Amino acid sequence: QACTFPCQCPSQPLQCPAGTSHVLDACGCCKVCARQLGELCSLHRPCDHHKGLYCDFSKIHRGSGICLAHEGATCDLLGKIYLNGESFQPTCKLQCICLDGAVGCIPLCSEDLRLPSPDCPHPRRVRAHNKCCEEWVCEEGSDNDLGAAMAVFREDPAQKPELNNLQENCLVQTTAWSACSRSCGMGISARVTNDNPRCRLEKETRLCMVRPCDFPMEKTKKGKKCVRTPRPRQSLHFEFSGCTSTRSYRPRFCGSCSDGRCCTPDLTSTADVEFRCPEGDSFHRKMMFIKVCSCHYDCPRDNDIFLATYHRRMIGDHV
């Protein structure tokens, strides 16, 4: 089909399956759900190039092709072999993809937490019939049971907190940020907080980078055992899932310790960073900025999201 200008795109927001990227059509007009491995494709129905797929027109005629993956290693998960570029669900709670021998997964169920509140003094997660993910249900309790719910609210003998006034009466409880999920490159850090309008305990994440994987380490000065917080000589743009930060930064990174200890962030701050993608989309993410690093023997374990490799990353899967 020929392209028509000006572009005419559907008014309804695009709904794609979990793990499927939004990509531009051949006209560069509208976002469409990218075709996956083994599916029919065309110029107007492109394959998911973020996953290394391309449209092979040699096997099917009349302007259609089939999505194939570039050569790469297969993945072995729980005794089952998956092809490079193949998307699969090992359980109903996970959507995974094989990328050149590495398996990356995203959760399909919400992992939010919930504190007792006046409108829900006894929250409980239950699994509904014929549903994979658990859901929160609220059980009625007596007036005495409200004591647990009031534990996170300011005591006011004159009146109980109204539902529309929860944030004003909420006693904010926030855990410390967890260690970055990667020792080098872009990772994820998380914490739990109830600093929200519903005073509800929820998981919050931020991007983090302890050091770039190709960051040249300075030599330790004579008599010292650590290089704690080196800065890059030139400002740089952060990259996340194939997208680039709109402005450049000159952040501090953690250096190295010559006596076998680990060098990790000790004092950090969080700021909002805007990323722009090749397709023209933009989004904001919270990101960790290091102020001070320290050397210690309590070294974090490697818990990268990819199970089989350290040198590969999923490119462009920002949706």
Side-chain angles (χ1 to χ4, degrees):
Q1 298 177 5
C3 299
T4 57
F5 297 99
C7 299
Q8 295 181 350
C9 301
S11 57
Q12 298 295 327
L14 191 61
Q15 298 290 336
C16 298
T20 300
S21 301
H22 298 180
V23 295
L24 284 172
D25 59 19
C27 300
C29 281
C30 308
K31 288 293 183 72
V32 296
C33 297
R35 297 288 169 163
Q36 303 303 303
L37 186 68
E39 294 182 348
L40 294 178
C41 55
S42 66
L43 292 177
H44 292 274
R45 297 181 297 173
C47 300
D48 199 337
H49 62 274
H50 296 145
K51 299 176 182 177
L53 303 181
Y54 68 97
C55 194
D56 184 357
F57 293 99
S58 63
K59 295 179 169 44
I60 299 180
H61 299 289
R62 295 182 181 178
S64 294
I66 188 169
C67 288
L68 299 179
H70 295 286
E71 290 187 14
T74 59
C75 301
D76 183 354
L77 185 64
L78 302 176
K80 190 170 182 179
I81 303 298
Y82 298 95
L83 300 176
N84 178 40
E86 183 177 358
S87 295
F88 59 95
Q89 281 188 248
T91 71
C92 63
K93 295 184 177 181
L94 288 175
Q95 177 73 40
C96 301
I97 180 175
C98 172
L99 268 183
D100 196 14
V103 176
C105 300
I106 58 173
L108 299 178
C109 298
S110 171
E111 298 181 357
D112 62 321
L113 304 172
R114 183 165 182 173
L115 282 174
S117 60
D119 62 324
C120 188
H122 291 282
R124 191 165 59 93
R125 291 196 81 160
V126 297
R127 183 172 176 177
H129 183 61
N130 293 331
K131 288 189 177 181
C132 175
C133 303
E134 289 117 352
E135 298 178 352
W136 285 108
V137 296
C138 297
E139 296 181 349
E140 294 292 335
S142 63
D143 292 340
N144 294 333
D145 293 334
L146 199 59
M150 300 296 290
V152 294
F153 294 92
R154 294 185 175 88
E155 295 184 5
D156 185 358
Q159 61 180 7
K160 296 179 181 179
E162 299 292 336
L163 296 184
N164 60 357
N165 206 23
L166 287 177
Q167 192 172 29
E168 186 174 326
N169 292 282
C170 184
L171 284 175
V172 175
Q173 301 180 59
T174 303
T175 65
W177 288 103
S178 67
C180 192
S181 63
R182 298 191 61 173
S183 57
C184 74
M186 193 70 77
I188 299 291
S189 177
R191 70 177 181 182
V192 176
T193 180
N194 65 334
D195 189 9
N196 53 66
R198 299 293 295 175
C199 192
R200 187 173 294 174
L201 199 62
E202 295 177 344
K203 186 178 180 181
E204 186 179 28
T205 60
R206 67 176 179 177
L207 300 177
C208 54
M209 184 184 289
V210 177
R211 61 184 66 82
C213 292
D214 56 353
F215 190 59
M217 292 298 179
E218 299 178 11
K219 294 182 179 180
T220 54
K221 295 181 180 179
K222 188 175 181 180
K224 290 191 175 183
K225 296 181 179 180
C226 295
V227 177
R228 291 192 176 177
T229 51
R231 283 180 182 265
R233 295 182 178 179
Q234 295 181 342
S235 59
L236 55 85
H237 290 268
F238 293 118
E239 289 190 7
F240 174 61
S241 295
C243 306
T244 307
S245 61
T246 55
R247 55 163 292 196
S248 60
Y249 298 86
R250 194 166 172 259
R252 293 179 182 272
F253 295 122
C254 288
S256 59
C257 307
S258 60
D259 55 0
R261 290 183 295 171
C262 300
C263 190
T264 59
D266 187 50
L267 183 63
T268 67
S269 62
T270 304
D272 195 64
V273 175
E274 182 182 7
F275 291 85
R276 190 169 299 279
C277 307
E279 290 86 358
D281 291 345
S282 63
F283 60 92
H284 292 259
R285 286 288 186 276
K286 291 181 179 179
M287 185 157 182
M288 175 191 78
F289 285 87
I290 299 171
K291 292 185 176 180
V292 178
C293 296
S294 62
C295 294
H296 55 85
Y297 288 106
D298 186 20
C299 300
R301 294 181 179 180
D302 187 12
N303 59 344
D304 291 351
I305 186 171
F306 290 99
L307 307 179
T309 184
Y310 303 100
H311 65 275
R312 184 90 188 188
R313 66 186 177 92
M314 187 180 294
I315 299 177
D317 193 16
H318 60 276
V319 177

